[in-house]
Structures are given as C-alpha cells and as structure tokens.
Amino acid sequence: MAGASRVLNVIERVGNKLPDPVFLFLWLIGALIVLSMVGAGLGWAAVNPVTGDTLRAESLLSAENLEQLFIGMPKTLADFPPLGIVITIIYGASVAERSGLFTTAIRGALLNAPRFLLTPVVVITGMVSHHASDAAYVVVIPLAAVIFAAAGRHPLAGLAAGFAAVSGGYAGNLVPGAQDALLLGITEPAAHLIDPSYSVNIAGNWFFIVGVVMVFTPIVWFLTDRIIEPRLGKWTPTDASPATTEEKTPLTAAEKRGLAWAGLAVLGMIGLWTLITLLPVSPFVDTEAEAAQRFNPLYRSLAAFFAITFFVSGAAFGAGAGSVKSHRDLVRMMREGLVQLAPYLVLVFFAAHFVAMFNWSGLGPILAINAAGALQQVELPTPLLLISVVLVSCFFDLFVGSASAKWSALAPIVVPMFMLLGISPEMTTAAYRMGDSVTNIATPLMSYFPLILTFAQRWDPKFGLGSLMSTMLPYAGCFLVAGLTMVALWVALELPLGPGVGVHYSPPAPETAAQFPVDGGISGPQAPPEPAAAGASKAAER
C-alpha cells in the first residue's frame, strides 16, 4: 500500500504541474509550427493510397498558411464540426436539465428501485444520466448513497456504485447524446484527411455504447454486492450520519404529472420522426444510395432529433411540474445552457485551430500513411491495434480529464492511420472512448474526485483519499480488462457499431488502396514526382 501511495503521489504532483488544456493546445500548436518547418525543409512526403495524391509537408509559416490562419480565423472556428452539433443539442438539453426533467427522472428511477435490484438500477441510471452532464455527478452519486442507506445497506457502497457508473462507465449509454456528437464530430474532419467524402453521424457508436452498459452493469453489480460492501462492513447509522428522509423525498404529484407529459412528448417526437421517414418522398431516405447507405440522412438528422426531443420533453415536464411558467423561462434556460458551455467554447477555439493547422501542414496524413505502412509490415492483428488505442487513451486520461481535448489531439493521427489499415473511424473512436472512460475513477486528478470524497466523508469522516482510491481501484481494473476484451471481441466478431456502421473501412477506390507505396516514406527524394504546388493545394483542401 505504501508503494501504491508513492506512485499516486507522483502522479498527483506531475498532474498538478500540467497547464490548462487551452495552454496544452497552444504548446501543441507551437510544436506543430516547428515540425512543419522541419518537414517542409526536409521534403517529407507520402502518397495517399486512397486518392493517389502526393502529399507534401508544408510550413505553417508560409504566406498561404499565414493567410489562412489570420484572415480565415473566424471561418476556422465556425467550420469546426463538433461546435455546431454540440450547440444544437445544448439548446434542447439545457431546457430538459433546467426544467428539472433529468434530475426528477433520475430520482424517480432510484427511489422506486427494489432492494435486490438496487445496484443495477443505480448503475444503469448512472450511465443514462450522462445526458444530464454535470448533474450526473451531483445528483446520482450522492443520491445513490442515500438510497442504499434508506434500504439498510452501506451508503458508501451505493456511492461507489454510482461513481463507477457515472464516471467509470462514461463510454456507456442507451441512446446517443451530446458526448457522441462531440467526439464523433471531431472524428469526421480527421477522417477527411484520408477520405474527404467520408461521413460520420451521431449514431456511429450507438450499439457499442449500449454494449458497454450491458457489459459494465453486471461487473459493478458483482463487485459492489460481493466485494466492496462486505469489505466496508456493516453500516450503523450515527448521530452524525446524514438524514435520509429529507433527501429521499418521494416525487410530488406535480413532478409525476410532469414526467407523464414528458413521456408523451418523447413518444410524439418518435412518432413524428417515424412518419417523416415513411413518407413517399422522405428527406430522411436517400433512394438513390446503396442499401447500406440509404438511411444516412436519417442518422444525420439524429442531432436535430435529440435537440428537439430534449426541448419539447423539457418544456412539457416544466409545464406539468410548474417549473416553466412561460416561454420566457424556456429562453432563459437555453441562455443558461450556453453560459455553462463557455469553458468548452474557449477550449474549442484553440482545438479548432490545432486541427485545422495540422491539416494545412499535411503532417497528419503523411505520418498516418507511413505509420500504417510500417504497421502493415509488422502485420499486427486488428484487435491488438485497437487495444493499443485503448491503452494510450487510459494513460493520457490519468493526467488530462477532458475527453474532447485529448481526442482533438489524437484523432488527426490515429483515425487516418487506422483507416489505411482498414479500420473504420467509428471503431477507432469507440476504442478511444473505452480507454478514456475506465480510468476516470482511478485518478485523483479527475476534477470531480475531491467532490466524491466530500460526499463520502458525510457518511464516514475518516474516509480519506486512500480509502476512496482502494474502493474504486477494483472497478477500474475490471473495467480495463473488460474494456480491452470487449474491443477485441467486437473486432473479431465484426459486430456493427451503429446503424449502417461497421468495424472495417473500405476506401472508395480499392484498386489504388490495396498497396502502400514502398518509397512513400517521410523523405522528399523517395516521393513520387508531382509538382509541389499541386501537392500543397491538395493538402490544404484537406
């Protein structure tokens, strides 16, 4: 235990010295500028095996790239794919959250859970509550402790199960939401480095995230009931213990009415989208596309569907429960939701420019093509390639909590590289999400870790950082093993990741993508002869 404590202390000291993610991107941009100058000077180049184009490294200090940077700065930000999708969904989700729909639904699910099924209900509720953003941490986790205590079980076992579900199971959910829009929105421009025609939709990981719920739920159930709770011992309430009656308040008649109205609103939205899809001339169906791609417009409409559904169901709940008095309340809730998005908007400015500058430099596809060529020579199995993505994501998650920040930096390299090895962008994204999820509960650098410790100390003032770490490490270890196994099996069995989305990527021109250029390494003289200006133009377009 002393050795583990020393390791955690080192991790904490190193993590505390890391700057804000905004400045991490500034450092990355500075390093990228230097690397682009070196690459351009040495004539780094490679041939895109999909398009046949010669890609050459371009200095980011060239006149053309400086013009794109300074004159096109507003356009670079506006064209960042995740930005519009996330803001669109936030308009609706903020109404659902601030009207009380999310928190009331979570409360209702936990309060009515049978004692035997208490743990799995907490786990599933915790994973679904990711749609409620930060509310999941401040509602589900402390409420799980209260519900366990009211049922005569150890409250810290409930807290651990809630924490494991909300944070360790961050990759799991039953329906896509803002997190899917954010990460898959980052994936699409990374895929365009290799295939400009590639399209990613919000449902690209839907089946995978449901699979995470199905795999992680029995793990948390077993660990909580058979290992964690027995280890904590029998819980005996004291005078200092929090009262459970005040916090375990049953739903009021108004809240039940609001939930009923919200349920009808959700059913109405599902019916409306189904009706539009079944119309003879439906905007959601591309009758001229191949069978596998025919419903792509429907999948791409899901961002709008979730935004409108969140808005309508939140407004219906507010009208029924009395939390929405007029249309002005709805507008106020949307404004407040955008205010909460401010930290992301600051971060996304720098992330958008890093991704764009990585594109302009041409280094992303050049590195990806040559790395893919090297990996092809090694002939590693596809499951092992994706397991490496999970492990790299796990490692970075110990120090940097922001999933979007890490993915913005990694996606331009790993997504095109794995596409060249025949792995779909959605599968690479799923592997990243798994790694980003499982170690959240194992690092004291996670932003909510001190808050969870505070919740725990309400029930046991002697419960310290080491206690919380030792309680959560079994979950993290099992999640990691299960996550690696799940990714490997998903690839081996070639299971679909979402509607119309598979594990493998097929390039649009198979005859040109069959081979990697033997002399396509990062050196100018080996690259196929093509005018530098043409290569630069094509690199800039991507």
Side-chain angles (χ1 to χ4, degrees), residues 42-45 56 519 521-529:
L42 296 178
W44 291 352
R56 303 184 187 278
D519 296 328
I522 305 182
S523 68
Q526 294 179 340

Side-chain angles (χ1 to χ4, degrees), residues 357-421:
M357 293 172 74
F358 205 89
N359 186 1
W360 303 339
S361 71
L363 293 175
I366 290 173
L367 291 172
I369 289 168
N370 285 278
L375 286 175
Q376 190 183 50
Q377 297 298 322
V378 177
E379 296 183 347
L380 284 176
T382 300
L384 289 182
L385 292 173
L386 288 166
I387 282 175
S388 69
V389 175
V390 177
L391 294 175
V392 168
S393 176
C394 283
F395 175 75
F396 282 116
D397 194 47
L398 293 173
F399 305 97
V400 182
S402 173
S404 58
K406 294 192 296 291
W407 190 229
S408 294
L410 291 173
I413 297 175
V414 297
V415 168
M417 180 176 72
F418 279 60
M419 287 175 72
L420 293 170
L421 295 171

Side-chain angles (χ1 to χ4, degrees), residues 178-510:
Q179 184 71 5
D180 296 82
L182 175 61
L183 295 180
L184 291 167
I186 295 171
T187 300
E188 183 166 311
H192 288 171
L193 293 171
I194 292 297
D195 184 355
S197 67
Y198 198 86
S199 176
V200 177
N201 69 76
I202 191 178
N205 280 170
W206 193 344
F207 301 159
F208 185 84
I209 63 176
V210 172
V212 173
V213 175
M214 296 174 63
V215 171
F216 280 20
T217 297
I219 292 175
V220 179
W221 191 356
F222 175 81
L223 289 175
T224 301
D225 291 8
R226 298 301 179 90
I227 296 177
I228 302 301
E229 193 166 10
R231 179 175 175 271
L232 291 170
K234 182 175 176 58
W235 179 68
T236 303
T238 65
D239 293 339
S241 300
T244 60
T245 54
E246 181 179 349
E247 294 181 77
K248 194 190 176 218
T249 306
L251 299 185
T252 65
E255 289 173 330
K256 291 179 180 179
R257 181 170 60 250
L259 287 177
W261 290 13
L264 291 175
V266 171
L267 291 176
M269 285 303 305
I270 293 174
L272 175 62
W273 239 250
T274 303
L275 176 62
I276 296 175
T277 304
L278 295 177
L279 288 175
V281 184
S282 173
F284 294 163
V285 180
D286 184 357
T287 56
E288 297 180 358
E290 298 179 3
Q293 307 296 326
R294 188 162 297 170
F295 289 97
N296 266 356
L298 172 64
Y299 306 146
R300 295 182 68 83
S301 77
L302 289 177
F305 170 78
F306 286 117
I308 298 172
T309 300
F310 284 146
F311 179 89
V312 172
S313 60
F317 173 86
S323 57
V324 173
K325 305 296 184 184
S326 71
H327 68 279
R328 290 182 174 82
D329 289 332
L330 299 176
V331 176
R332 172 183 55 80
M333 291 172 183
M334 287 190 286
R335 285 200 304 263
E336 291 174 352
L338 289 180
V339 169
Q340 190 180 25
L341 203 61
Y344 170 72
L345 295 177
V346 174
L347 174 65
V348 82
F349 175 83
F350 297 93
H353 280 84
F354 171 78
V355 171
M357 293 172 74
F358 205 89
N359 186 1
W360 303 339
S361 71
L363 293 175
I366 290 173
L367 291 172
I369 289 168
N370 285 278
L375 286 175
Q376 190 183 50
Q377 297 298 322
V378 177
E379 296 183 347
L380 284 176
T382 300
L384 289 182
L385 292 173
L386 288 166
I387 282 175
S388 69
V389 175
V390 177
L391 294 175
V392 168
S393 176
C394 283
F395 175 75
F396 282 116
D397 194 47
L398 293 173
F399 305 97
V400 182
S402 173
S404 58
K406 294 192 296 291
W407 190 229
S408 294
L410 291 173
I413 297 175
V414 297
V415 168
M417 180 176 72
F418 279 60
M419 287 175 72
L420 293 170
L421 295 171
I423 300 172
S424 71
E426 290 86 354
M427 186 67 242
T428 306
T429 306
Y432 165 77
R433 295 177 71 171
M434 180 64 80
D436 176 69
S437 173
V438 298
T439 51
N440 278 332
I441 54 177
T443 171
L445 302 180
M446 201 271 286
S447 57
Y448 282 98
F449 208 86
L451 177 66
I452 306 307
L453 183 59
T454 301
F455 289 152
Q457 289 174 344
R458 294 179 61 198
W459 300 94
D460 183 358
K462 297 180 180 179
F463 200 82
L465 179 63
S467 303
L468 183 56
M469 287 295 301
S470 62
T471 299
M472 301 311 300
L473 278 174
Y475 294 107
C478 291
F479 283 173
L480 179 57
V481 173
L484 293 172
T485 305
M486 181 176 168
V487 168
L489 287 177
W490 208 280
V491 176
L493 299 176
E494 298 188 8
L495 300 176
L497 291 155
V501 179
V503 168
H504 298 292
Y505 164 72
S506 299

